[in-house]
């Protein structure tokens, strides 16, 4: 998954900033910044719990989770 893109889409759709996303998900602000800026490397992914917390807020969460 492209976590940079997903986070940016969540921020845009929800009209929130990273600080607010941090509060809504319980993910630390520095960790979100690293994911958004690609500092964890292109192949590195967040843990399942962190990824799920972000994806749940995405406007196309069902598509991303492949729920039918």
């Amino acid at each position: 998954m492209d976590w940079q893109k997903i986070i940016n889409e969540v921020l845009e759709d929800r009209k929130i900033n990273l600080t607010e996303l941090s509060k809504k998900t319980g993910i630390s602000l520095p960790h979100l910044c690293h994911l958004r800026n690609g500092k964890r490397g292109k192949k590195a992914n967040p843990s399942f719990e962190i990824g799920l917390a972000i994806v749940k807020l995405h406007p196309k969460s069902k598509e991303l989770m492949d729920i039918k």
Side-chain angles (χ1 to χ4, degrees), residues 17-23 26-35:
N17 60 35
L18 276 177
T19 302
E20 292 169 305
L21 182 59
S22 174
K23 289 177 185 174
I27 303 167
S28 73
L29 184 57
H31 192 67
L32 283 172
C33 288
H34 285 298
L35 290 170

Side-chain angles (χ1 to χ4, degrees), residues 15-65:
K15 297 179 181 15
I16 59 176
N17 60 35
L18 276 177
T19 302
E20 292 169 305
L21 182 59
S22 174
K23 289 177 185 174
K24 288 182 179 293
T25 60
I27 303 167
S28 73
L29 184 57
H31 192 67
L32 283 172
C33 288
H34 285 298
L35 290 170
R36 186 178 184 206
N37 295 325
K39 301 275 183 180
R40 299 266 180 211
K42 293 206 180 237
K43 295 191 180 207
N45 289 309
S47 69
F48 176 80
E49 292 81 12
I50 288 175
L52 184 60
I54 296 168
V55 168
K56 280 181 168 180
L57 296 175
H58 193 277
K60 295 180 180 177
S61 60
K62 288 183 180 182
E63 266 181 49
L64 291 173
M65 292 188 279

